[in-house]
Amino acid sequence: MSDDRIITLRFKPENVPDMELYRELEAEKKRLGLSMPVYVKDILQQHFKDGERMWTDGCMERIREIVHGELASQNAVFAGQLEKIAAGIPGGIKNTGQPPEEETLPEYSDDFPEGLNGVLEKFM
């Protein structure tokens, strides 16, 4: 058994930034005549040797873009699931923006509702 450590990078063909990065890596490694693992290891070594470059504004902006994209994706999935749930409810969900008239909340009152005094006395 080898003591080699392996890192796998996945580039999704449907993801435009992934494929742009992959094409850049391919072009540069060919230009230098290196294999992909040697070229990527060299990039990582340079990146970590220069600590100031590690968290530049551009890097943080890219992280924000990735996080926002992922949140938007998950929101879309969540909205789709809610639509499926609503579709399964007989009669569907009707949102008029106001509660139905028979469910109108009572007005403010300083008095306890009828029958509540007896319940409160049991706890006092």
Side-chain angles (χ1 to χ4, degrees), residues 40-53:
V40 171
K41 283 194 310 192
D42 185 51
I43 290 173
L44 291 172
Q45 285 173 343
Q46 289 176 20
H47 181 75
F48 287 111
K49 282 182 184 174
D50 186 4
E52 291 178 15
R53 287 181 43 204

Side-chain angles (χ1 to χ4, degrees), residues 103-109 113:
E103 294 182 23
T104 304
L105 297 175
E107 295 294 321
Y108 175 79
S109 172

Side-chain angles (χ1 to χ4, degrees), residues 52-69:
E52 291 178 15
R53 287 181 43 204
M54 195 162 121
W55 294 106
T56 62
D57 289 340
C59 179
M60 291 307 293
E61 184 59 34
R62 181 68 184 126
I63 290 171
R64 273 189 216 99
E65 289 173 10
I66 292 169
V67 170
H68 285 210

Side-chain angles (χ1 to χ4, degrees), residues 5-24:
R5 302 293 187 258
I6 298 172
I7 295 175
T8 302
L9 299 174
R10 296 182 196 278
F11 295 92
K12 297 179 181 179
E14 67 276 2
N15 188 317
V16 174
D18 271 13
M19 293 317 296
E20 286 174 358
L21 177 59
Y22 184 77
R23 281 191 287 278
E24 288 174 19

Side-chain angles (χ1 to χ4, degrees), residues 29 32-33 80 93 113:
K29 71 121 179 145
L32 296 172
I93 296 176

